[in-house]
Structure formats: structure tokens, C-alpha cells
Amino acid sequence: MSMTEPSTLRAWLLAEEPTSRRQARAASLYQGWLTLRGNWLSMIGLAILAFLVLCAIFAPLLATDNPFAQDLANRLKPPGWEGHIFGTDSLGRDIYSRLLYGARISLYIVLLVAMVAPLVGLIIGTIAGYVGGWTDTILMRITDIFLAFPRLVLALAFVAALGAGIENAVLAISLTAWPPYARIARAETLTIRSSDYIAAIRLQGAGPVRIVTRHIWPLCISSLIVRVTLDMAGIILTAAGLGFLGLGAQPPSPEWGAMISEGRKYILDYWWVATIPGLAIFAISLAFNLLGDGLRDVLDPKGGE
Amino acid sequence: MSAVEIRDLTVWFGDGDERTDAVKSATMVVEEGESFGLVGESGSGKSTVLRAITGLVPTWEGTIRVMGQPLGRRRDRTFYKTVQMVFQDPYASLHPRMTVDAVLSEVLGLHGFRDVDARIDKLLRDVGLGPGFRFRYPHQLSGGQRQRVAIARALAPEPRILLLDEPTSALDVSVQAEILNLLTDLRAEHKLTYIMVSHDLGVVGHMCGRVAVMQHGEIVEELGVTDMREMRTRHPYTKHLLESALRSVR
Amino acid sequence: MSNLLDVENLWVKFPTRSGIFDAVRGISFSLGKERLGIVGESGSGKSMTGRAILRLIRPPGRIEADRLTMTGTDVLKASEKQMRALRGHHASMIMQDPKFSLNPVMTVGQQITEALRTHEKVSMKEARNRALEMLDAVAIREPTRVFNLYPHEVSGGMGQRIMIAMMLIPDPEILIADEPTSALDVSVQLQVLEIMDRLVAERGMGLIFISHDLNLVSNFCDRILIMYAGRIVEVCEAGKLHEARHPYTIGLLNSVPNLESPRDRLEVLKRDPAWREAPSVSALL
């Protein structure tokens, strides 16, 4: 882009009369960004997430030790002891370094689940909502069956069938996480379906596939994104739970849930072993929740005025 | 050949015990180039007639002919190229996430037009919006501007018949005047046939040549606008409607 | 004679991303025992004025005024508790759509008696009797039957009459009606307005009738304020509307299609930027 001077770029983005498709799209993104920036809590959430992403990316540079290197002579040392900022765990591994590498695993799990579950939910929910009738009944009863199981138990069953490991844990979590998204997408579709702008495009001869993918999806996606960010904490905790039960990330991988589970045995005498990864999970969950709140304001299709 | 011919049209919602007939054996004939009004109060079934013609309500029986062709359950592309509709609430009839350009390009694409850019410019000019509005989102437009966009969308496939469902009832009177003038001009320019639904007798009297009055799903009377102005009505309900309309104006 | 309401230099401001938006810009008016119409198009600030009087502007919106007194109480300085007493007891408000202003899970009777009992200590039995009387007063034919209905079981016109009953039962001195009939059919509209008009006259109340419909307002008011862009551009007596001089008022009158005098084209309002900047006309008594 030739216009790099901030004031001109800003003027271009806030133009009353955009002159191209690209400008209109950029302007609408910029408006959203301005709204989000106005919500300082969300900005804190975003900052925490950005920080965690940077930590994950630069883990090899930031880590002080090898996260897998055991040092049985220095096990369970408190934070600050001989260069171990957060202390060491039961095998003498540096908790700080493990936390950094663990961020990679946690973000990886979160991103994968966040891609799969809402997408499955979106497809099933919008089809059920738009087509209606028998299709709706069958799809929604399947959704109900999935919802009726406790999430962790269902995930356990899937992992047991698929075998332990991070990828399978992600798959299992996704398979248990989609029904609420399907519900939301269906409810939204039902209201959108009867609106005049859908009637108008039907009167132009648009078919159901086009209407669902081009007109209904863009409106459902915003509420799904918000819901996903609010669910992130739950997803991380389920992943941690699977790790804790030994069905998710396998030792010695520094997944945060697995780290807590290892620290559990020492929680009374050596609090930091379980607490520090716990704080990390807390931070990422909080960050997603704060961001989700702000995104709700930005993505609300009725807003923007 | 009449543009729209409706005989014994019954439209219902719900099934079995829950069935309610919104329109009961309505018959009306609209000639080509005519501007026909359907008036009645809320729940009289006037909008339902339009929705049955367009196929938005599938539960109807009777005969509907458009340009001589009888309509079945399904509508094809040629139908949508002949008949288009403008909705009541311009705040609800535009997709909140699509720019004016996106709306019109999609519609033109659906009808197989190639010269999309030139056509969008012309459509916007036709409805009195400059090219500056092309890349705006609905929330950046006023109610009147939105309704102009909705009219441009309806005109995009170059239809012969325009169904107008209370096109100005959500607008301020001064904006209503602009939109009604625009509709008058467009009708003359594109030789359109209008079927206009409204609860406002003043608007219908201004726009239409002939008017059908609906009550409880039935067409109780059909009369010319001159008769309407001079209160030459046969049905007491028409009289009652006219009197309330005149009294609230005076 | 003391006025029911005095408003001097009223501003309603909303902070937005691009600065402060002034919805109402320094208007002054007073209300005696009369029927005052406030007319304007959407965005003219007429509804904001009505809400500001009862301090119903939600934050971050702000109300500022040199003076805003209602029946002797300073609205701007009153505590939230005083305001609650003021709303209902001294002034009531009827909104546009009864569907949204009636509580869907309470019967009509419960809502009316509750409206009465929050402002007056009366027994259940007396409240019921007064509510039935009130329903009768708003021309509801079978008050005892309607008393036990839920809001979704009544028609729009009846819903709005119930709203009127509910708003008038605490015997307020001022009634603010914000587009009370624009969601209703023409024939019902007049009936509802006539009932409102009759009750206001019988009880010697002050009425503020907010509407976009100049003709309708002129039928039911004594004095009309015409608002444009947050200011009052003209004040005129309802009977002398045809003598109105401001081009905006004339434009509004002429842009309505008239059944009796047909025209080929409707007159289109040409908005003069100077209207925005002209000082607000005072409507103090």
C-alpha cells in the first residue's frame, strides 16, 4: 500500500464513501478493531494471549533449561532456587522451561479444537435449521444424544477407542464439543431464515446451498466465535483432564494438565509444582474469556453504528 | 394479457386443527402496466397474497397466472426475472454483513448478467443514489437510502412486475414522499406493473389506479381510485376505513 | 399559574467514538394543563426529550439543563428514590408498542393493580375494583374477563388501552405519550386516541404527545412544537397549523399524500442546512 502515513491511512479507513471492495472490507475490520480497542478488559485478554503466543514461538530462546532434562539431585526445589525461576518438579526439571514448551501444546490443542468443533456444529446446526422437517428432527436428536453424555466420559470413550495421544485427545474433545455449537447455529438459523433479506435472496432464485453458506454462515460465525472463546477454558481443562488421567499428552511432554497431575502428589509440601501450571491455565482461560466478551460487542451484527 | 391473474386463491398456515386461512378464495386481475392497490388492516391477509404469488408461502390453492403462465408449486428463474418484491422494513431486508455492492453483484450474478460493474452504476443512479454509496454497509445508510437499495435490488433482474409490500410505512413522511416519487418515475421509465400493499389509504390513493379492500382474508370490495376519493363505496367496511383515514388527516 | 413542567436549555448528549453526539440541543418549553404535541422525524430528538423529562436516558447518555422542574421537583437533583415516586405518581409514559411494555408473564389485572399499589397504600380488593373501573374507563367491554388475560391474549389496540389504564391509575398529573398509536391500525388508532384525550381532559392532566404525524397531533393537541435536529424550529397553535411559516413544517404538511387532493408528484422536503444552526425557538409559557 502506498499510503503509509498513519493519518492518511486512518482517513482512508474511516472514509464515508469507500471506493473499492477492498477499502470497504478493510474499513469494516478497522471499525471492529476500534470497538475492541475501546474495551480495555478485552485488550488485556488480547495482550495475555499475544504474550503466550510469543512465549510458545520463542520457547527455545526463552527457556533456561532443557524441559526434559532430569536432575534428580535438585528435585522439588522452590521458585528462585539457583536460576530455576519457578523451581523444579519431582524429577528436577525446570518448571519455567516446561511451562514455555507447554504453551505450544496447549495452544496447539486449543487451535485444533477451535477449528474442528465449531465447524462441525455450524454445518449440522445450519442444515438442521434451514432445511427443517425430518432432517432437523434427526440431526437434533443426534445432537441431544451427544449432549446427554458427560463430556469427559464421552471423550474418555473416544480416546480409549482411538488410543492415547494429543491428536486423539483433540479429536475426542472436538467430537464432544460440537453439540452446543450446533444448537446455537440452529437457533440463529431459525431467526435468520425467516428474515426479509433471506426472503429477498430467495426471490432472486438463490438455492439453499448458496443461502446457507453465503448468507447464513457469516451471521452465525460471529456468535460461534464468541462462544468458542468463552469455551476455550473448558477445552483446555478437558485436555488437562485427559492429560491428568493419562489419556492425553503422554509424559514426559510438558502439557499443563499433565504437569498439574504430576504435581498433585506433592501439593501440600511443594505447592509450586501444581500451582504454577495451574496459574498458566488460569491466565489463558481468563484471557480468552475477556477477549470473548469484547468480540461479542464487535461481532454483534446489530451493532456497528 | 393480464400481468397477474388470481382466481379463488386460498392461503393457509398450519395443518389440521391448527389450520388458519389467511386468505379466503380471493380473486383479482391486474392488467399489464397497471398500478393496483391492496388495502386492509393488519391481519387482513394483504401481504400474504404477495407472499403466495412469490412462492414464499407454499401452502396455497387456486390459480395464479403471471403473464398468462399458470404457477405451480415451484418458481423458476424466469419467474424471478418477471416478478420482484420490495419489502416493508428496509432495516430488515438488507443483509447486515453485505455492502450494497455485494448485494447487487450477487443478484446480477444469479441472473447471469456479465457487465456487473456498469449495471450496478446504472441501478444506483436509477434509484437516486450516487456511486459513493456502492461500498457502504446497511448500517451506514439511512432508512430511505436502504429502501432505495432494496428497490435497486428488485430492479436488477429487469422485472416486469413489482410487488410492493408497504414500502414506505417504516419511513418518515418526507422520505416517504421521495420514495413514492421514485416509484412513480420508475414505473413510467421501465413500464412496470405494480401491486402495492398498504394500510395507508392516502399512499394507495396516490399511487394506484384501482384498489381492492381486504378484511379477514377476503376481498370485500374492488373500486377505482376516483370512486374511493368520492366515497362511492358499496361495502360498509370500506366506508369505515375511508372515514377513519380522512378523519385522522383533517 | 404554576406550570406542571418547566424545561430550560435542555441538552441530551451521547459520547461516541467520533465525539459527543447531541440528540437534543438546548430546547426550552413548559407544560401547563394543556395538551402539548412534539412533532418531528426520526432523529429529531423528540423521543429523547420525552425520556429526558423522566430522566430515562441510560448512561453513557447525559442530560443537562439550566432548569428541569416537574410539579415543583428538580428532576436533575432528585435522588433515584424520588424519581421513582415521581414517575408514575406525577408523570407516566406510554410507549409505542404495548407488546414490549407489558410484562408477558403477568395478567393484565396484576399489572394494573401493581401499578396502583406501588404508589398508593390500598387493599387488594380496592385495587381490584379501581383497576376494573379503569379498564371500563378505557372502553374495555368486559373488564372482569380482560382482567385475567395475559398480554399475548389481547389485540394491539386493546393492549394500548390497557397501557393507558395502567399509566393513568396512579392519577398522574402529566402523561407523556411517545408514538402511542403508530403500531396500531388506522381505525383503532383514533379510538385509542379519543379515549386518551377524554381521560386527560376529565382529569385535568397535562399531556405531552410525541409523534411523527403532524396531522394526527394537531387533532389532539392545543400547542405543537416542531423539532428538527434536536432543536425546536417552530411553535404553533394546533388550530393554526395552516398558518405555520417554517419551511420544514410546511414541507412536512405537504409531503403527506392526501386522498382528497391528489397530485401527480409529492412535494419533497428540501433540507436547508441553516435549519440546523438556527437557534431553538422557546416554547415557555
Side-chain angles (χ1 to χ4, degrees):
Chain A
M1 207 179 307
S2 57
M3 288 171 284
T4 41
E5 199 195 332
S7 63
T8 345
L9 179 63
R10 192 180 146 81
W12 183 77
L13 284 169
L14 291 176
E16 273 288 296
E17 296 185 358
T19 48
S20 68
R21 260 158 241 184
R22 202 169 50 115
Q23 187 183 1
R25 203 165 303 136
S28 111
L29 286 176
Y30 185 62
Q31 296 276 356
W33 165 244
L34 287 181
T35 313
L36 188 66
R37 214 176 56 182
N39 185 335
W40 60 274
L41 277 174
S42 296
M43 291 318 289
I44 292 178
L46 193 65
I48 298 175
L49 282 180
F51 175 72
L52 284 171
V53 169
L54 289 177
C55 283
I57 294 172
F58 297 109
L61 296 175
L62 295 169
T64 50
D65 284 279
N66 180 343
F68 303 108
Q70 303 184 4
D71 179 2
L72 293 175
N74 288 325
R75 58 197 292 268
L76 300 168
K77 292 298 178 206
W81 193 83
E82 280 187 7
H84 297 294
I85 301 172
F86 292 143
T88 60
D89 69 3
S90 59
L91 294 174
R93 294 173 294 197
D94 180 45
I95 294 182
Y96 167 68
S97 306
R98 286 178 69 74
L99 217 50
L100 289 176
Y101 280 93
R104 291 182 159 191
I105 302 174
S106 290
L107 288 173
Y108 173 71
I109 293 175
V110 159
L111 286 182
L112 272 185
V113 176
M115 305 269 244
V116 179
L119 193 67
V120 175
L122 180 68
I123 293 170
I124 291 183
T126 46
I127 291 176
Y130 190 75
V131 178
W134 276 106
T135 321
D136 184 27
T137 313
I138 292 170
L139 288 177
M140 279 301 117
R141 288 303 80 79
I142 295 175
T143 312
D144 286 343
I145 292 170
F146 272 87
L147 273 176
F149 280 103
R151 214 155 133 182
L152 195 59
V153 175
L154 195 58
L156 274 177
F158 279 120
V159 178
L162 299 166
I166 292 185
E167 279 77 13
N168 287 342
V170 165
L171 203 59
I173 296 171
S174 306
L175 283 171
T176 59
W178 66 267
Y181 301 111
R183 279 277 173 102
I184 297 174
R186 175 174 174 272
E188 296 247 325
T189 308
L190 288 180
T191 38
I192 297 169
R193 182 177 73 164
S194 55
S195 68
D196 281 351
Y197 50 85
I198 297 298
I201 194 70
R202 275 174 69 192
L203 292 192
Q204 300 288 356
V209 176
R210 171 184 285 268
I211 293 175
V212 168
T213 55
R214 298 266 194 100
H215 295 259
I216 295 181
W217 278 11
L219 291 173
C220 289
I221 282 172
S222 48
S223 56
L224 289 188
I225 289 178
V226 172
R227 176 73 199 241
V228 169
T229 55
L230 296 176
D231 276 356
M232 283 299 183
I235 292 169
I236 294 169
L237 292 176
T238 314
L242 286 177
F244 185 86
L245 293 169
L247 293 168
Q250 295 300 306
S253 121
E255 199 265 327
W256 293 347
M259 284 170 74
I260 296 182
S261 113
E262 282 167 26
R264 181 181 56 116
K265 285 172 274 182
Y266 315 103
I267 195 153
L268 291 180
D269 301 317
Y270 310 99
W271 56 268
W272 58 90
V273 182
T275 308
I276 294 205
L279 285 177
I281 293 179
F282 168 73
I284 196 172
S285 309
L286 182 71
F288 273 117
N289 269 315
L290 292 178
L291 184 64
D293 261 354
L295 282 178
R296 193 199 329 250
D297 299 340
V298 176
L299 294 172
D300 182 4
K302 286 162 218 90
E305 254 125 305
Chain B
M1 184 174 58
S2 25
V4 177
E5 186 185 337
I6 290 173
R7 297 215 179 271
D8 268 332
L9 176 73
T10 298
V11 188
W12 67 91
F13 295 107
D15 272 319
D17 292 342
E18 310 220 318
R19 170 171 160 156
T20 43
D21 290 359
V23 179
K24 296 166 199 159
S25 51
T27 296
M28 61 187 221
V29 178
V30 181
E31 297 304 326
E32 217 180 326
E34 196 184 9
S35 178
F36 188 86
L38 263 179
V39 298
E41 305 201 312
S42 50
S44 62
K46 54 192 193 307
S47 296
T48 312
V49 173
L50 296 194
R51 290 187 171 252
I53 298 175
T54 55
L56 288 173
V57 179
T59 47
W60 56 272
E61 59 192 20
T63 326
I64 307 178
R65 277 178 215 274
V66 168
M67 294 293 174
Q69 296 294 315
L71 295 181
R73 284 282 161 266
R74 293 190 154 267
R75 307 283 185 277
D76 54 9
R77 281 278 151 89
T78 31
F79 172 80
Y80 296 127
K81 267 184 100 77
T82 318
V83 181
Q84 275 299 322
M85 179 152 157
V86 176
F87 295 84
Q88 172 175 11
D89 185 357
Y91 290 88
S93 71
L94 294 178
H95 195 286
R97 289 296 170 78
M98 289 170 88
T99 59
V100 174
D101 173 70
V103 169
L104 297 178
S105 324
E106 178 171 30
V107 169
L108 289 167
L110 277 167
H111 290 282
F113 291 112
R114 297 263 163 192
D115 47 343
V116 171
D117 275 336
R119 275 178 186 270
I120 291 177
D121 278 343
K122 180 166 187 314
L123 281 171
L124 288 180
R125 237 178 301 124
D126 277 357
V127 296
L129 293 173
F133 289 93
R134 183 165 165 187
F135 298 101
R136 291 205 196 177
Y137 286 91
H139 68 82
Q140 296 167 307
L141 302 173
S142 70
Q145 290 164 347
R146 289 181 195 212
Q147 199 59 304
R148 285 171 192 268
V149 173
I151 294 172
R153 171 179 60 194
L155 289 178
E158 300 181 334
R160 311 277 296 279
I161 302 163
L162 214 51
L163 309 178
L164 305 163
D165 187 0
E166 305 248 20
T168 57
S169 65
L171 305 173
D172 280 322
V173 279
S174 63
V175 183
Q176 163 170 292
E178 291 169 16
I179 297 289
L180 292 181
N181 282 344
L182 171 69
L183 287 170
T184 310
D185 295 345
L186 288 172
R187 189 161 85 92
E189 201 179 311
H190 298 271
K191 310 216 166 11
L192 294 164
T193 306
Y194 282 172
I195 301 183
M196 183 175 202
V197 158
S198 180
H199 68 278
D200 187 329
L201 290 169
V203 169
V204 168
H206 174 73
M207 293 293 294
C208 303
R210 245 168 4 113
V211 175
V213 181
M214 288 190 75
Q215 184 192 21
H216 306 316
E218 284 170 63
I219 295 183
V220 295
E221 187 168 1
E222 204 184 289
L223 71 170
V225 152
T226 336
D227 289 336
M228 190 166 97
R229 282 202 191 101
E230 287 158 15
M231 295 284 270
R232 281 199 298 267
T233 67
R234 275 169 288 115
H235 200 279
Y237 179 69
T238 316
K239 208 173 156 109
H240 168 71
L241 268 189
L242 276 171
E243 276 169 359
S244 358
L246 290 175
R247 261 205 307 154
S248 65
V249 168
R250 238 176 257 143
Chain C
M1 188 193 104
S2 71
N3 291 327
L4 293 171
L5 179 73
D6 282 297
V7 178
E8 273 173 48
N9 196 20
L10 172 74
W11 290 74
V12 177
K13 302 180 174 185
F14 289 91
T16 65
R17 202 183 292 140
S18 45
I20 288 174
F21 170 70
D22 300 318
V24 178
R25 305 185 296 155
I27 63 168
S28 304
F29 66 94
S30 44
L31 174 76
K33 288 201 167 158
E34 58 171 337
R35 302 170 301 171
L36 180 72
I38 302 183
V39 180
E41 297 193 288
S42 48
S44 61
K46 58 185 192 305
S47 292
M48 285 300 158
T49 305
R51 290 167 161 271
I53 295 167
L54 288 177
R55 229 172 72 190
L56 289 172
I57 305 282
R58 289 220 178 93
R62 283 201 317 271
I63 307 170
E64 285 167 21
D66 291 349
R67 197 152 91 97
L68 180 50
T69 49
M70 179 188 292
T71 58
T73 315
D74 187 338
V75 172
L76 291 178
K77 293 217 178 76
S79 67
E80 216 22 69
K81 193 163 172 239
Q82 280 174 301
M83 272 322 288
R84 274 200 297 276
L86 208 61
R87 292 179 203 132
H89 199 59
H90 290 278
S92 286
M93 189 158 183
I94 299 176
M95 307 273 191
Q96 182 168 356
D97 201 331
K99 255 185 258 142
F100 302 116
S101 352
L102 289 169
N103 184 342
V105 294
M106 280 167 80
T107 63
V108 167
Q110 280 169 338
Q111 297 189 50
I112 300 178
T113 46
E114 195 188 85
L116 176 62
R117 281 164 60 91
T118 45
H119 292 285
E120 240 180 282
K121 279 207 163 61
V122 291
S123 69
M124 243 357 231
K125 190 152 179 269
E126 199 199 329
R128 186 186 150 87
N129 287 339
R130 296 240 322 250
L132 288 175
E133 264 170 45
M134 201 64 225
L135 283 175
D136 190 53
V138 293
I140 284 173
R141 253 172 262 139
E142 300 166 87
T144 29
R145 188 179 69 86
V146 174
F147 190 87
N148 292 318
L149 293 181
Y150 283 91
H152 68 265
E153 295 171 301
V154 304
S155 67
M158 194 187 273
Q160 204 58 309
R161 280 182 283 157
I162 291 168
M163 270 311 287
I164 293 176
M166 206 166 119
M167 291 296 127
L168 291 187
I169 201 162
D171 233 348
E173 286 147 272
I174 302 173
L175 181 67
I176 302 172
D178 188 357
E179 302 267 11
T181 56
S182 33
L184 306 178
D185 282 323
V186 200
S187 57
V188 191
Q189 234 175 45
L190 286 174
Q191 187 201 9
V192 170
L193 288 177
E194 274 156 13
I195 290 167
M196 191 174 83
D197 195 44
R198 197 191 72 225
L199 290 172
V200 166
E202 278 173 10
R203 292 163 177 241
M205 296 164 59
L207 170 73
I208 298 182
F209 184 177
I210 301 168
S211 173
H212 66 280
D213 192 333
L214 196 46
N215 287 308
L216 196 68
V217 169
S218 68
N219 279 331
F220 290 96
C221 288
D222 307 314
R223 218 156 47 107
I224 303 178
L225 316 182
I226 289 109
M227 283 189 72
Y228 181 79
R231 288 189 178 164
I232 300 173
V233 293
E234 187 162 22
V235 181
C236 65
E237 281 184 36
K240 294 181 183 159
L241 197 58
H242 53 274
E243 290 173 20
R245 254 180 276 140
H246 197 281
Y248 178 65
T249 317
I250 299 170
L252 275 188
L253 283 170
N254 287 341
S255 55
V256 183
N258 190 336
L259 206 52
E260 288 168 295
S261 46
R263 277 165 294 177
D264 279 347
R265 292 185 73 77
L266 295 168
E267 217 163 290
V268 171
L269 196 59
K270 291 207 177 48
R271 286 155 209 275
D272 187 339
W275 297 350
R276 287 185 71 84
E277 299 316 321
S280 187
V281 177
S282 164
L284 291 167
L285 284 173

